[in-house]
Amino acid sequence: QVQLVESGGGLVQTGGSLTLSCAVSGRSMSRLGMGWFRQAPGKEREFVSTVTGSGAGKHYADSVKGRFTISRDNANNTLYLQMSSLLLEDTAVYYCAATNDVYGRSWPTWYLRPSRYAYWGPGTQVTVSS
C-alpha cells in the first residue's frame, strides 16, 4: 500500500517562499506517477504540477507557472514543490498524489485530473498573508 505524507506548509507573507515535501512509502517512487494538487476553502481540488518518472519533464498550472518548481528524488522516495513569489490566492491545502497506472498514459494530459490518482496524502496547509 502506497502511503504519502506531506510536510513544509505554514504561514508566509505575500512574496515569500515555501518548499513542500512528500515522503512516499510502500513502493518505489520511480514506478509512480506523481503530482501536486491544492484545494482552497469552498473550491474544488485543482491541479498544480506533475513530473515525469525521471524528473526531466515538468508541467504546471498556468496560475503557478514561473513561480513553482516540482522535483522528485526517486532514490529517497521524496517529491518536492518549491514555491516562491507566493500570492494570497495560493492559500490552500496542498496534496501530494500518486498513481501506479502509468503505462501507456499520455503525459501530461492524463495526470491533470485528481481522479487519475489512487493515493493521496493528508495534505499540508499553506496560508499566505498580506
Side-chain angles (χ1 to χ4, degrees), residues 8-113:
L11 176 64
V12 64
Q13 290 187 324
T14 53
S17 301
L18 281 176
T19 297
L20 306 184
S21 300
C22 173
V24 180
S25 61
R27 187 169 188 185
S28 172
M29 197 176 74
S30 63
R31 296 177 179 270
L32 298 171
M34 302 296 300
W36 286 100
F37 289 79
R38 67 185 182 186
Q39 188 166 17
K43 295 188 177 181
E44 293 186 353
R45 192 167 297 189
E46 65 173 2
F47 168 79
V48 174
S49 183
T50 185
V51 60
T52 57
S54 68
K58 303 177 182 183
H59 184 73
Y60 302 93
D62 288 343
S63 59
V64 307
K65 200 172 296 182
R67 301 187 297 117
F68 290 12
T69 302
I70 191 172
S71 60
R72 62 192 293 166
D73 181 347
N74 288 336
N76 290 302
N77 263 21
T78 305
L79 180 72
Y80 300 99
L81 185 68
Q82 295 174 278
M83 307 185 295
S84 62
S85 301
L86 284 162
L87 306 171
L88 293 175
E89 49 263 46
D90 293 320
T91 295
V93 177
Y94 283 72
Y95 297 92
C96 171
T99 177
N100 51 19
D101 185 4
V102 298
Y103 297 105
R105 299 303 184 185
S106 177
W107 191 92
T109 306
W110 195 87
Y111 296 91
L112 303 184
R113 297 185 180 182

Side-chain angles (χ1 to χ4, degrees), residues 106-128:
S106 177
W107 191 92
T109 306
W110 195 87
Y111 296 91
L112 303 184
R113 297 185 180 182
S115 60
R116 307 299 192 186
Y117 295 82
Y119 307 104
W120 292 84
T124 186
Q125 176 71 46
V126 172
T127 303
V128 184

